[in-house]
Amino acid sequence: LQARQLVAEGAIRVRTDKKPKIVLTAIGAYQLAEVLKASGRLLDRKIPHSVVCMVEPRRFAEPRSADEQACCVSKKARDAFFPASAQVRVFVTHTRSGRIQGLLQSVDTGAGTLALGYRNAGGTLNEAGMLFVNHQSWAHIVDAVGRLAKVRRASLLTKEEIAVLDGKTSPHGVVIA
């Protein structure tokens, strides 16, 4: 059922609260795994949010023609995935972040929207390391939510996790399992 919805609509809601204040959107399988970990931290902190898995971001853009209109989701559908109550929106994408933010202007809240994407950072030989150096780990996502929602870092992350994000200690065993 979810696979059919994903193909039909270009995205699915993986989890949602009735009035989410935050929408975390994953574009990519590795990104979804990190978004779900970040969602777990937000659940622990009782922060209402939703998680969206998106496979066709172009369908959520403003259509440029009648032909594109036929392929894009309706405003009603966009609003269902990205409700007005959720002024904080974090997109985690396997592509470059600027391209996704440009494409998804229709759901951009301005200062409350951020995309975390490929930063051309390398030097790792595994997925967790790649996500970390490109600032797409669950901890980077939680940190981004805190900045956008104006929530103190210390209420979302431990001292050790903050030290990792600040480059003061290794992420292994703290952010990377």
Side-chain angles (χ1 to χ4, degrees), residues 25-51:
T25 302
I27 305 169
Y30 296 136
Q31 289 72 19
L32 178 59
E34 294 302 305
V35 163
L36 290 172
K37 291 175 195 172
S39 173
R41 179 60 61 94
L42 297 179
L43 282 171
D44 289 346
R45 302 301 192 266
K46 299 185 181 354
I47 297 174
H49 69 285
S50 66
V51 172

Side-chain angles (χ1 to χ4, degrees), residues 13-160:
R13 281 181 284 303
V14 177
R15 77 163 319 276
T16 190
D17 288 317
K18 286 185 182 181
K19 285 209 166 210
K21 302 221 180 281
I22 298 154
V23 177
L24 302 177
T25 302
I27 305 169
Y30 296 136
Q31 289 72 19
L32 178 59
E34 294 302 305
V35 163
L36 290 172
K37 291 175 195 172
S39 173
R41 179 60 61 94
L42 297 179
L43 282 171
D44 289 346
R45 302 301 192 266
K46 299 185 181 354
I47 297 174
H49 69 285
S50 66
V51 172
V52 173
C53 174
M54 186 180 287
V55 294
E56 291 190 70
R58 180 68 187 108
R59 294 185 64 189
F60 286 80
E62 288 293 333
R64 298 170 292 194
S65 68
D67 289 337
E68 282 189 3
Q69 177 72 43
C71 296
C72 291
V73 298
S74 67
K75 181 179 180 334
K76 182 178 178 182
R78 277 197 317 260
D79 291 346
F81 281 101
F82 301 97
S85 65
Q87 288 298 300
V88 171
R89 298 170 185 187
V90 177
F91 295 87
V92 186
T93 177
H94 59 87
T95 64
R96 293 195 183 273
S97 59
R99 292 186 178 156
I100 287 297
Q101 274 195 263
L103 183 64
L104 296 176
Q105 287 179 5
S106 63
V107 295
D108 192 326
T109 61
T113 301
L114 179 68
L116 302 174
Y118 178 68
R119 301 164 56 101
N120 200 28
T124 66
L125 298 174
N126 60 42
E127 294 88 9
M130 174 192 65
L131 292 162
F132 184 83
V133 299
N134 282 289
H135 294 194
Q136 297 178 327
S137 74
W138 68 266
H140 287 99
I141 298 165
V142 170
D143 197 35
V145 165
R147 282 193 316 273
L148 295 173
K150 296 178 177 41
V151 175
R152 285 183 24 253
R153 277 177 121 189
S155 66
L156 297 174
L157 298 161
T158 67
K159 289 179 187 178
E160 294 82 13

